[in-house]
Amino acid sequence: MKNLAKEINACLKVLQQGGLILYPTDTVWGIGCDATDEAAVQKVYALKNRDDRKALICLVANDAMLERHVENVPDLAYDILDLSTKPTTIIYDAPKGVAKNLIASDDTLAVRVASDKFCRNLINKFRKPIVSTSANVSGEPSPRDFQEISEAILRGVDYVVNLQSEQLNSLPSSIIRLANDGKVKIIRE
């Protein structure tokens, strides 16, 4: 518990300064930053060598934070989240209060309510959503565990969370597109 608090505090300092963290999420090891800081989000795209037209996922701590960053959360979203048996990312219309370069060209944002204790505590303390993208260079396979993370990624972040012994799901989240017009599309199961 003491180690968890120490790691959260170290991450907070980096996030508040616009830096990048490498951290265990509720799915895979992820690269994160302040989701409201356009310059920090750009650093993530640069580190991953990823086209900034390919949107990134944003993690929030709870439903209240989700509602602060999405214009209209459809009721169906709560049902999907309640019934999901694995971490689920939902793509919403009309995001707000996040970095412009985090929003897809069709004015959508992929958001996941974190189920992991470390992530929820970090985001709650930070009081803002954080970016979550797999810890790999674009086009390379996502690392299944910490040992598979490339040197380029390890060197490119400002802080690496020291919780390598934690067991991760090691599978990406499900992704569902939930439009305000009621259309539902499963992007990744």
Side-chain angles (χ1 to χ4, degrees):
M1 206 59 178
K2 185 176 165 187
N3 196 27
L4 193 68
K6 179 180 163 236
E7 292 301 322
I8 287 171
N9 288 333
C11 286
L12 287 173
K13 285 180 187 165
V14 172
L15 292 170
Q16 289 162 346
Q17 295 168 356
L20 305 186
I21 61 171
L22 180 65
Y23 67 111
T25 73
D26 47 1
T27 56
V28 297
W29 275 87
I31 300 168
C33 70
D34 178 349
T36 67
D37 181 337
E38 205 165 323
V41 171
Q42 189 54 49
K43 288 180 195 175
V44 173
Y45 284 119
L47 176 59
K48 285 185 64 84
N49 196 19
R50 182 173 172 153
D51 184 342
D52 65 8
R53 288 181 306 234
K54 286 188 78 181
L56 301 170
I57 291 173
C58 176
L59 289 183
V60 295
N62 49 46
D63 291 349
M65 188 178 280
L66 169 65
E67 291 163 3
R68 282 196 300 274
H69 294 284
V70 174
E71 198 68 47
N72 176 38
V73 179
D75 289 338
L76 180 58
Y78 300 109
D79 295 336
I80 291 169
L81 295 172
D82 288 344
L83 298 172
S84 292
T85 56
K86 69 182 252 187
T88 300
T89 300
I90 298 179
I91 300 172
Y92 296 95
D93 288 332
K96 60 184 182 179
V98 295
K100 285 182 176 60
N101 56 345
L102 193 57
I103 299 170
S105 58
D106 62 353
D107 195 33
T108 60
L109 179 64
V111 182
R112 185 166 71 249
V113 178
S115 56
D116 169 80
K117 180 180 177 181
F118 172 77
C119 289
R120 271 207 321 259
N121 287 338
L122 173 61
I123 299 164
N124 269 327
K125 261 192 129 172
F126 188 50
R127 294 190 160 145
K128 292 190 255 182
I130 60 174
V131 164
S132 177
T133 183
S134 58
N136 62 305
V137 173
S138 254
E140 292 181 4
S142 295
R144 290 187 307 273
D145 59 46
F146 186 81
Q147 285 67 37
E148 293 182 8
I149 298 170
S150 74
E151 273 302 310
I153 296 295
L154 291 169
R155 282 193 316 269
V157 297
D158 300 294
Y159 186 74
V160 177
V161 172
N162 189 19
L163 295 174
Q164 284 88 324
S165 63
E166 299 289 311
Q167 288 297 311
L168 300 181
N169 181 356
S170 80
L171 294 171
S173 66
S174 297
I175 299 178
I176 298 171
R177 169 76 171 98
L178 188 57
N180 283 346
D181 64 6
K183 289 184 182 150
V184 177
K185 181 179 180 184
I186 296 175
I187 309 291
R188 181 172 68 201
E189 284 190 56

